[in-house]
Amino acid sequence: MITCFIEYRIDPGKLDLFEQYARNWGEVIPRCGGELIGYFAPHEGTNFVAYGLISFTSLAEYEAYRVRLKADQQGRANFHFALEAGFILQEKRSFLSCIEQTYLQGVKAL
């Protein structure tokens, strides 16, 4: 399993638009094959950094997901929304693998 860790630099005056953008992905990402861990918006401290985390079984699966995402009508509309509204100023992607012995240690079952 790999996780695509997306770091966004956003316009803090348009936080509500970023939050809508993130909610829009809630349906699209799973439909296109990604395991959406979540989007995280600024709450306290730095007000212009946000994150998105999406997991895949492999980099090959990520590449296949990107093809499906670009063909998805709702996905294309969300990309267009972000470009038109201008709330994302910068975006960086890193691909991480989890060290299994550390994953969810100390987290209580819901």
Side-chain angles (χ1 to χ4, degrees):
M1 184 70 70
I2 61 159
T3 299
C4 179
F5 183 90
I6 309 166
E7 179 179 329
Y8 297 95
R9 183 166 180 238
I10 62 171
D11 180 337
K14 297 179 179 180
L15 178 59
D16 57 330
L17 296 176
F18 178 79
E19 289 174 350
Q20 181 60 51
Y21 170 80
R23 283 191 297 272
N24 292 346
W25 288 127
E27 247 183 70
V28 178
I29 289 171
R31 181 173 62 238
C32 291
E35 182 181 321
L36 180 59
I37 295 171
Y39 275 81
F40 301 84
H43 177 73
E44 185 70 30
T46 304
N47 67 351
F48 59 86
V49 178
Y51 302 97
L53 286 85
I54 310 163
S55 287
F56 303 91
T57 55
S58 66
L59 281 175
E61 185 52 40
Y62 168 75
E63 292 300 331
Y65 155 84
R66 294 284 294 171
V67 170
R68 290 187 294 269
L69 189 64
K70 288 178 182 179
D72 186 273
Q73 183 177 7
Q74 194 177 357
R76 284 193 316 271
N78 207 32
F79 282 126
H80 182 72
F81 167 59
L83 286 173
E84 287 292 310
F87 51 86
I88 297 174
L89 306 176
Q90 186 179 49
E91 187 175 318
K92 294 190 303 185
R93 280 186 172 74
S94 297
F95 293 87
L96 309 170
S97 58
C98 181
I99 300 168
E100 282 188 44
Q101 295 81 358
T102 67
Y103 186 64
L104 295 178
Q105 294 301 305
V107 175
K108 296 179 183 179
L110 297 176

